[in-house]
């Protein structure tokens, strides 16, 4: 009964196997089917799919497990397969490799697929040559580069890859060829089913081809029959399709003629058919001796020999590499190549020494227990889980990284609202997208509409030809916030379904504070008097609730919003007192929980981390508190350096596990809001210190969006303004939701503002000396009363 590991391997949901597949008749197709079935039984919660290689234009009638086909000779289809796998939520690809089943010189077309994959790749090497051609050497070397692991099915395969191809041994995994888990039975049990009861049965099975050496076994048979007239030789298997397509049944016919010429036709039975696994096991169970008389040593694995060992057969073989390895220590008998006399002698000896034969059978059977499919399946699943986890921490970066963007290359023309428009309806901006299409089922959130409001306020400085549309979008987003505020509690709700029903009352502290932040910026920036007055009203309506908040991020978001509000109404004493209270609370958290090696107010670095030192910087700057500024700069410097990859690029802390104090930081999934938060904080540090290092750091974080990241792939689509939701270990998240898109847009607008300030085109007013619009404030407060 198959062993199940349903509760294990939580990081594997879908595995794609690539190679040949049944009903195509070849050894790798059988291996692929058996392995997929064994893994499916071991881990039924995982989906196993196959990408099948076709050697004929019409393909094959595949089972449902095959979900993509490649015509092996069409190079373009390999690239299409890669694109298909990249968008199909596959966790790992397992390639069953044999030079001859893939198109191009030495199967090189396969590389076109693997080089485009953003998914971990495990390649099972069914052939490893000791004397490869130059083309074979190059293809194998490149396979090693693009694969996370190479699996070999024999110990000698490890040696060859290491010593001949220069592959790092740590990248090589040995997993034996799988076999059915058969009982150890007496050969007489099945003989009557095949009409050989009372006979000494010698068996060879597999797809028939000239390299099998069966003619030498036939030449050995007369000497066997002479001493054992009850001996019979069964040749089981159809002619290999490629051999049949090239020369028909010539090889089989030549073997049949040879039996007549040697006078043993009555002792040889040909079964010219492809047998299913159950019937094959019965044939193996009926065999007294199994023979593999192959002609060349250059065979690194043999599935037929592995099956014979698993059935407990007594085995005689020529000394090809795999036979030398698995038949060592008297688990079988090796005879020279093309030596019928030695073959006959070995067969006669085993027939005549029954005790020795059965002892050999038992040794082979016991040795093969680690090769049964349930154990092999577990080994593959464990390897898949390992490479997936390693890819999270050591991603494959694109071979050619994009150039790092310099300040001069950031242009107003890059501000593109197309995708934001698509995500916005008459209610507000929708939360999520399926790829680039708005997903209505996700509804709306205060968080995202607050972000959208911020973006419209910043965009008005750069998109002068869209003033009317920007005003309409600004009104739509602030209207959403107005509807979200519950006047009695002074709390903003959080999420609204597409049918306009609020899903939570109230929303989170963080979303409430983000709404205040956007309203404070509206008060500071908005040129429309009516919208600005509404923003003042909503700001004051939600401000009081913040006094009860306990989330450090809600304090930071609120502080940033209050600072923005005070840029217009710097004399508002209540807002100034609350700013000081929240800033002091935040500063105390830094001082109380931080240390020299962990200068942070929490025990875990999680999301929007840079907003915390950002809020401290603003407070220290506007409250003339140098200690607060120094502490903020020190923590921001530490946070920045914790998120710089080996190549000097920005690598934000991933959301799958975050970064607990004293633990290991999560590499993925990386979120756009982390880059945006770091950009804003670094720009604020530049304003405070006038140190150009912080400006360079802001640009480095900005370049994360454009491809200067762990994988070397861009997250933003400059043609639409959409941004992918995150960077996974194997590529970008294909969805382009509101949070990610607005994080990109706000980052771009922040960089543009900084560029204009540096160019002297726009100066920021002194925060405590801004000229107040007292009439505006009075009118607003009258309206509130």
């Amino acid at each position: 009964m198959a062993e199940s590991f349903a509760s294990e391997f939580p990081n594997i949901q879908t595995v794609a196997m690539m190679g040949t597949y049944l009903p195509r008749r070849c050894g790798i197709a059988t291996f692929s089917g058996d392995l997929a079935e064994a893994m499916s039984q071991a881990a039924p919660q995982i989906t196993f799919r196959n990408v099948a290689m076709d050697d004929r234009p019409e393909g094959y009638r595949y089972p449902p497990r095959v979900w993509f086909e490649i015509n092996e000779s069409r190079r373009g289809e390999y690239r299409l397969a890669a694109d298909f796998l990249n968008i199909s939520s596959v966790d790992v690809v397992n390639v069953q490799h044999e030079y001859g089943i893939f198109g191009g010189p030495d199967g090189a077309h396969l590389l076109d697929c693997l080089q485009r994959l953003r998914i971990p790749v495990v390649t099972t090497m069914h052939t490893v040559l000791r004397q490869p051609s130059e083309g074979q050497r190059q293809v194998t070397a490149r396979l090693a580069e693009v694969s996370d692991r190479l699996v070999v099915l024999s110990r000698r395969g490890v040696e060859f890859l290491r010593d001949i191809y220069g592959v790092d041994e740590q990248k090589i995994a040995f997993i034996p060829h799988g076999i059915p888990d058969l009982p150890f039975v007496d050969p007489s049990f099945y003989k009557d089913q095949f009409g050989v009861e009372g006979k000494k049965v010698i068996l060879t099975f597999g797809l028939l081809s000239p390299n099998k050496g069966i003619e030498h076994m036939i030449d050995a048979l007369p000497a066997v029959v002479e001493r054992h007239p009850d001996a019979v030789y069964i040749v089981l298997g159809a002619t290999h399709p490629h051999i049949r397509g090239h020369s028909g049944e010539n090889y089989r016919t030549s073997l049949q003629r040879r039996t007549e010429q040697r006078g043993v036709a009555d002792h040889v039975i040909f079964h010219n058919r492809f047998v299913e696994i159950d019937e094959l096991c019965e044939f193996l169970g009926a065999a007294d001796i199994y023979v593999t008389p192959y002609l060349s040593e250059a065979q690194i694995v043999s599935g037929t020999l592995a099956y014979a060992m698993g059935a407990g057969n007594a085995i005689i073989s020529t000394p090809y590499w795999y036979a030398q390895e698995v038949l060592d220590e008297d688990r079988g008998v090796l005879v020279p190549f093309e030596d019928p006399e030695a073959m006959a002698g070995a067969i006669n000896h085993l027939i005549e020494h029954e005790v020795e034969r059965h002892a050999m059978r038992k040794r082979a059977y016991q040795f093969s227990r680690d090769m049964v499919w349930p154990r092999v399946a577990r080994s593959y699943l464990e390897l898949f889980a390992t490479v997936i986890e390693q890819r999270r921490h050591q991603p494959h970066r694109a071979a050619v990284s994009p150039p790092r963007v310099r300040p001069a290359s950031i242009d107003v023309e890059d501000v593109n609202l197309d995708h934001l428009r698509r995500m916005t309806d008459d209610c507000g901006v929708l939360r999520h997208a399926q790829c680039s299409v708005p997903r209505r089922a996700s509804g709306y959130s205060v968080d995202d509409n607050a972000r959208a409001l911020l973006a419209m306020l910043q965009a008005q400085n750069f998109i002068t030809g869209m003033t009317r549309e920007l005003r309409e979008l600004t009104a739509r987003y602030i209207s959403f916030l107005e509807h979200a505020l519950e006047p009695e509690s002074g709390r903003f709700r959080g999420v609204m379904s597409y049918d306009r029903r609020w899903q939570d009352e109230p929303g989170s502290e963080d979303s409430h504070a983000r709404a205040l932040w956007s309203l404070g910026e509206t008060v500071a920036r908005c040129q429309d008097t009516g919208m600005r007055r509404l923003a003042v009203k909503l700001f004051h309506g939600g401000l009081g609730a913040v006094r009860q908040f306990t989330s450090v991020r809600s304090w930071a978001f609120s502080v940033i919003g209050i600072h923005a509000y005070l840029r217009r109404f710097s004399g508002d004493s209540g807002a100034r007192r609350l700013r000081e209270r929240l800033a002091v609370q935040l500063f105390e958290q830094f001082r109380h929980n931080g240390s020299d090696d962990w200068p942070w107010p929490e025990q875990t670095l999680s999301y929007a981390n840079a907003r915390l030192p950002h809020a401290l910087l603003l407070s220290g700057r506007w409250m003339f508190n140098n200690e607060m500024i120094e502490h903020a700069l020190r923590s921001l410097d530490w946070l920045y350096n914790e998120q710089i990859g080996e190549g000097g690029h920005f690598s934000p802390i991933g959301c799958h596990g975050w970064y607990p104090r004293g633990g290991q930081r999560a590499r993925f999934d990386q979120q756009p809001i982390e880059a945006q938060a770091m950009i804003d904080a670094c720009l604020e540090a530049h304003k405070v210190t006038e140190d150009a290092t912080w400006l360079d750091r802001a640009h480095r974080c900005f370049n994360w969006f454009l491809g200067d990241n762990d994988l070397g792939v861009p997250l933003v689509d400059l043609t639409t303004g959409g941004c992918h939701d995150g960077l996974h270990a194997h590529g970008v998240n294909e969805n382009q939701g509101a949070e990610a898109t607005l994080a990109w847009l706000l980052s771009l607008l922040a960089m543009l503002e900084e560029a204009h300030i540096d160019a002297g085109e726009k100066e920021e007013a002194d925060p405590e000396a801004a000229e107040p619009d007292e009439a505006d404030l009075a009118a607003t407060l009258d309206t509130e009363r």
Side-chain angles (χ1 to χ4, degrees), residues 67 79-90 93 113-121 391 728 730-734:
W67 67 342
R79 294 189 289 269
L80 291 175
D83 294 341
F84 178 81
L85 291 170
N86 281 332
I87 66 173
S88 297
S89 300
V90 172
V93 173
C113 174
L114 301 188
Q115 289 168 164
R116 292 172 69 94
L117 287 177
R118 301 192 299 266
I119 308 161
V121 175
R391 182 69 78 91
H728 296 181
H730 50 72
V732 296
N733 184 319
E734 294 296 332

Side-chain angles (χ1 to χ4, degrees), residues 743-768:
W744 153 251
L745 183 58
L746 286 164
S747 297
L748 174 61
L749 292 168
M751 297 301 290
L752 285 169
E753 282 191 354
E754 180 64 32
H756 281 63
I757 291 172
D758 284 353
E761 298 177 26
K762 178 178 177 288
E763 293 292 341
E764 183 184 31
D766 185 317
E768 300 299 344

Side-chain angles (χ1 to χ4, degrees), residues 194 234-238 252 269-275 283:
F194 306 111
I234 296 177
V235 181
L236 174 64
R252 182 183 298 275
I269 302 171
F270 289 93
H271 287 280
N272 184 10
R273 56 195 176 88
F274 188 86
V275 295
F283 270 105

